Amino acid sequence: MIVDLHSHTTASDGVLTPRELILRARENGVDCLAITDHDTVAAYDDPELNRDSTVNLITGIEFSAGWHGLDVHIVGLNVIPDSEALTAAVDRQLKARTDRAKLIAERLAAVGIDNALDGARRIAGNDNLGRPHFAAYLQEIGAVSNGRQAFRKYLGHGKPGHVRGFWQPVRDVVQWIRDAGGTAVLAHPAHYKLTNTRLLVLCDEFIAAGGTAIEVVSGRQHPDVTARFGRLADEKGLLASCGSDFHRPGTPWSELGRASPLPSGCRPVWDTW
Ligand code: AMP
Ligand code: ZN
Ligand code: FE
Ligand code: FE
């Protein structure tokens, strides 16, 4: 069974529409899929989204959260999209994203990059603005030659276009997911570049808040890393999730449905559904 519980669409910073994503999931033999756009469930608005029901679609979202000045991502799976809790959380995050986008644009203007807000908005096609939309604008105007460079020079941690300490704390975000009836999953633990000790502290705080799962597999990661997170899940009594974090075709390390399977011994998050 192919399970992919982390993916993005045009509702956030992915390039495929929700329908195109489902088609690709079907082509790639995905049996169970969660769309986890940044801070929105807008992809699920389309009643025809999974018309043929060939893919078992799980409702998902990827919330941005703050932890000691770091951005961490908490995936909510099986959330009730039209619940009061989720609607309130999404409203709050959309406002935060809009405020942050204005700040990013101001800071970019201060280093000589003009009209970034309009540019990012045009590229996104909606108000759910993320740094990748600014990266695309920087590339468009020739300020950088690719997305990675945009993050390295302008948008990454500590650069002018990164606004530090902006999101709500992990414990609040986990609570939003629980209130919306969902399972909270600590996303892509390798991304935070934490020492083992700090990662354990993050896990403990996440668990204390009511988080119950962790992405043991995210995208294409080294088997040693997967084994390490498998042991971590086991030690902490966390359920294991896996996802590609697919954003766009053409990047082989994050093709939809192509993340490696969970290590044996892990208890899959879908066991409880
Ligand atoms: P945001 O939610 O606006 O803070 O943007 C986070 C998104 O930016 C992530 O989900 C990735 O898609 C993308 N991203 C973060 N860091 C990088 C990087 N170094 N290079 C390319 N894309 C990145
Ligand atoms: Zn993203
Ligand atoms: Fe993420
Ligand atoms: Fe993601």
Side-chain angles (χ1 to χ4, degrees):
M1 190 167 77
I2 299 183
V3 180
D4 191 330
L5 300 177
H6 191 142
S7 65
H8 295 270
T9 74
T10 47
S12 65
D13 56 1
V15 302
L16 300 186
T17 64
R19 286 192 200 192
E20 288 166 343
L21 188 84
I22 301 268
L23 284 176
R24 196 174 188 91
R26 190 185 305 167
E27 277 168 22
N28 288 358
V30 174
D31 300 292
C32 180
L33 175 75
I35 300 175
T36 54
D37 277 307
H38 297 286
D39 300 303
T40 181
V41 283
Y44 295 90
D45 288 349
D46 176 359
E48 296 275 281
L49 181 59
N50 192 23
R51 194 161 31 98
D52 304 335
S53 304
T54 47
V55 176
N56 180 9
L57 189 63
I58 306 291
T59 346
I61 189 163
E62 181 175 18
F63 278 121
S64 314
W67 190 71
H68 300 286
L70 277 182
D71 291 6
V72 299
H73 288 171
I74 312 284
V75 163
L77 295 176
N78 260 329
V79 288
I80 301 166
D82 51 6
S83 60
E84 224 173 277
L86 202 76
T87 309
V90 163
D91 284 352
R92 178 174 195 144
Q93 294 291 88
L94 179 61
K95 188 180 176 304
R97 276 196 175 267
T98 306
D99 293 347
R100 188 185 66 147
K102 286 180 193 151
L103 270 175
I104 292 173
E106 278 171 24
R107 292 181 182 194
L108 289 177
V111 293
I113 307 288
D114 293 327
N115 304 318
L117 189 58
D118 288 344
R121 268 208 190 107
R122 174 174 44 75
I123 288 161
N126 59 49
D127 287 332
N128 192 26
L129 297 184
R131 285 179 290 160
H133 303 119
F134 285 95
Y137 176 71
L138 288 164
Q139 204 175 333
E140 189 183 275
I141 63 169
V144 294
S145 47
N146 57 56
R148 281 186 55 163
Q149 204 185 12
F151 275 85
R152 209 165 51 235
K153 280 180 75 174
Y154 293 103
L155 302 166
H157 202 86
K159 304 295 183 242
H162 179 260
V163 186
R164 201 168 177 271
F166 196 80
W167 303 109
Q168 296 303 303
V170 164
R171 82 183 97 79
D172 295 17
V173 172
V174 169
Q175 193 59 46
W176 297 344
I177 293 168
R178 288 163 56 88
D179 290 345
T183 303
V185 187
L186 183 62
H188 45 59
H191 282 208
Y192 313 127
K193 301 192 168 61
L194 297 170
T195 61
N196 201 45
T197 311
R198 289 194 78 214
L199 180 57
L200 292 176
V201 175
L202 172 58
C203 284
D204 287 341
E205 288 186 23
F206 173 74
I207 292 165
T212 53
I214 187 168
E215 282 182 354
V216 168
V217 172
S218 171
R220 191 199 275 181
Q221 69 189 14
H222 195 280
D224 292 350
V225 175
T226 303
R228 179 181 155 222
F229 292 151
R231 286 192 300 272
L232 175 65
D234 187 39
E235 273 163 33
K236 294 288 175 190
L238 288 164
L239 298 163
S241 188
C242 61
S244 59
D245 206 355
F246 175 81
H247 282 73
R248 57 185 51 80
T251 52
W253 58 88
S254 58
E255 178 52 52
L256 196 62
R258 291 290 177 269
S260 55
L262 289 176
S264 58
C266 282
R267 184 163 174 231
V269 65
W270 55 88
D271 261 13
T272 59
W273 299 339

